Amino acid sequence: MDALDSFRATAQEIVSFALQRGIDLEPLRKGFTFQKDRRHVDCWRKDLLPGTGPANEPLGTLHYNLQGAIAVVPDKLKKSASIFRGRWHETGTFESIEQAFELVKAWVIDQKEVDDLPCRSVRSYGI
């Protein structure tokens, strides 16, 4: 599976997971990106092994990239408040598709601030 297919498959996996929880993410999906207002997030898998996990779901490290508007400087960058221009970008990984769904929901639907986002392994970030 190539990278683009991985983005698409992971987005579909998140949509399916959300539907099981009663949330329709399809209106927020633009190709493989989940987007609303001035925020978006992409998720994908690296080292994909299709159909090898429990219930035959794909296995592979889940990655994400999110960007968008924020109103509050995150605590870890309070000293940089003077250069804050209202934007955030972040990349990282998840342990499960449930974590990916929770981040998509928190970032895109609930429009939570960075310090209020759910558990994830952040690899890089900035304002």
Side-chain angles (χ1 to χ4, degrees), residues 58-103:
L59 286 179
T61 305
L62 279 161
H63 295 260
Y64 71 92
N65 173 44
L66 65 80
Q67 295 184 35
I70 59 173
V72 179
V73 179
D75 285 343
K76 57 186 154 200
L77 291 177
K78 287 290 185 200
K79 291 180 181 177
S80 300
S82 65
I83 63 167
F84 178 60
R85 300 292 180 255
R87 304 264 319 149
W88 180 254
H89 64 89
E90 178 180 304
T91 62
T93 58
F94 303 113
E95 296 291 321
S96 68
I97 200 71
E98 181 175 9
Q99 282 184 324
F101 160 71
E102 291 295 336
L103 183 68

Side-chain angles (χ1 to χ4, degrees), residues 19-85:
L19 281 173
Q20 294 171 11
R21 305 263 174 313
I23 297 174
D24 184 7
L25 291 177
E26 198 60 49
L28 304 175
R29 186 169 135 183
K30 313 293 186 241
F32 55 78
T33 297
F34 296 97
Q35 178 181 342
K36 181 180 174 189
D37 300 328
R38 295 174 33 216
R39 289 183 171 198
H40 71 271
V41 61
D42 305 322
C43 301
W44 69 96
R45 290 184 187 270
K46 282 189 180 177
D47 310 318
L48 190 64
L49 302 170
T52 55
N56 208 33
E57 80 269 7
L59 286 179
T61 305
L62 279 161
H63 295 260
Y64 71 92
N65 173 44
L66 65 80
Q67 295 184 35
I70 59 173
V72 179
V73 179
D75 285 343
K76 57 186 154 200
L77 291 177
K78 287 290 185 200
K79 291 180 181 177
S80 300
S82 65
I83 63 167
F84 178 60
R85 300 292 180 255

Side-chain angles (χ1 to χ4, degrees), residues 23 25 28 36-37 39 101-113 116-118:
I23 297 174
L25 291 177
L28 304 175
K36 181 180 174 189
D37 300 328
R39 289 183 171 198
F101 160 71
E102 291 295 336
L103 183 68
V104 169
K105 181 180 178 301
W107 183 248
V108 178
I109 295 174
D110 301 336
Q111 300 278 305
K112 290 192 176 190
E113 292 297 330
D116 298 324
L117 293 175

